[in-house]
Amino acid sequence: MILEVAILYVKNGQKELFEADFKTAGQYISSISGYIRHSLQRCIEQDNKYVLLVEWENLEDHTVGFRESEAYKSWKALLHHYYDPFPVVEHFETVIDGRST
């Protein structure tokens, strides 16, 4: 399993619209082969800051399967205008899982 992590900074005054559109956008990412689950979490200390966590079966499910899909074009059109600056997306793999001890 690969964890995609993106820190999202949403333009001031657009939090409610962003969250509503993000609910809609969930259908696009969840339609991709290799998608496991995602969550969007809002920062308590900084109101316009979010973290997006997406679990994929493997890296290519995100970097190729999603990023090269028609679903990504819809995702991008719906969400990318909210970000300032544009987010950096990174991928992580599990080294230690406390649930397995």
Side-chain angles (χ1 to χ4, degrees), residues 8-72:
L8 312 175
Y9 292 91
V10 173
K11 295 174 184 173
N12 288 330
Q14 297 194 12
K15 179 179 78 171
E16 289 80 14
L17 290 171
F18 168 70
E19 290 180 11
D21 282 346
F22 200 94
K23 286 180 186 176
T24 300
Q27 68 184 318
Y28 303 123
I29 198 167
S30 64
S31 71
I32 301 301
S33 178
Y35 163 89
I36 300 171
R37 74 177 138 262
H38 73 277
S39 69
L40 178 69
Q41 300 184 29
R42 186 176 343 114
C43 182
I44 294 170
E45 292 82 11
Q46 191 173 343
D47 197 42
N48 69 324
K49 183 178 182 180
Y50 295 79
V51 64
L52 169 62
L53 305 171
V54 186
E55 293 180 17
W56 298 97
E57 289 181 18
N58 62 62
L59 181 62
E60 292 75 22
D61 291 331
H62 177 232
T63 59
V64 177
F66 182 52
R67 288 273 179 92
E68 295 181 7
S69 70
E70 290 300 314
Y72 179 71

Side-chain angles (χ1 to χ4, degrees), residues 55-96:
E55 293 180 17
W56 298 97
E57 289 181 18
N58 62 62
L59 181 62
E60 292 75 22
D61 291 331
H62 177 232
T63 59
V64 177
F66 182 52
R67 288 273 179 92
E68 295 181 7
S69 70
E70 290 300 314
Y72 179 71
K73 291 177 186 175
S74 298
W75 169 279
K76 181 179 177 178
L78 191 59
L79 297 176
H80 283 196
H81 65 278
Y82 287 109
Y83 307 136
D84 186 22
F86 195 76
V88 173
V89 177
E90 297 178 307
H91 300 91
F92 297 83
E93 59 187 350
T94 301
V95 176
I96 299 172

